[in-house]
Amino acid sequence: MTHVESAHLVELALRNATPTDADAEALRHVEQCARCRDELRTLTRVVAAARTAQLVDLPTAPPERVWQRISRDVSGPPGPPRRPAPAPDSRKRVLLALLALAAAAGVAVAHRYLHGHPKPAQRGVVRQDRTPEQP
């Protein structure tokens, strides 16, 4: 089953652009697909909440005493100078570089295995779902 791209669902939720034929096609799909309908409903709620947020909804600034303590800690008297940490020997650096390279390769392989090669998101383009739909 094909689904509407997430980026297109975001655009539908924002409703910033004039609707196109691709939008109409996507909305027809959303009517038939519970997964896309739920995602669009959630995105629409997020957009509505963000657009109706008011200044009182935002977190309050910390009390003045917090800023005074930060200022005091930052501009306090300097302590004794610290000795620089010793540089690791060349064998440790090589080992760390190899470990980092192996970790990066592992992450890349795992990402490719889990996500395949997604095509760039395009407005109005639907994608093929790689997982079977749950009954």
Side-chain angles (χ1 to χ4, degrees), residues 11-128:
E11 291 177 21
L12 291 172
L14 288 170
R15 296 182 187 164
N16 288 337
T18 304
T20 65
D21 291 339
D23 293 338
E25 180 182 337
L27 289 172
R28 280 192 297 274
H29 171 80
V30 166
E31 288 175 2
Q32 303 298 319
C33 176
R35 175 181 161 186
C36 291
R37 186 171 45 251
D38 290 344
E39 187 174 350
L40 179 59
R41 185 178 300 128
T42 299
L43 290 167
T44 302
R45 283 196 312 239
V46 169
V47 168
R51 286 182 173 161
T52 60
Q54 306 224 345
L55 189 58
V56 296
D57 298 326
L58 300 176
T60 60
E64 184 61 31
R65 63 183 159 72
V66 173
W67 293 116
Q68 291 170 354
R69 173 116 187 236
I70 291 171
S71 177
R72 185 178 67 237
D73 289 349
V74 169
S75 62
R82 292 185 174 181
R83 294 183 63 188
D89 66 12
S90 62
R91 289 180 296 177
K92 284 185 181 177
R93 282 192 299 235
V94 169
L95 180 61
L96 288 174
L98 288 174
L99 285 172
L101 183 61
V107 168
V109 168
H111 184 273
R112 185 175 183 159
Y113 175 77
L114 293 174
H115 300 287
H117 292 293
K119 295 181 181 175
Q122 297 177 356
R123 184 180 175 108
V125 175
V126 293
R127 61 184 158 92
Q128 182 69 33

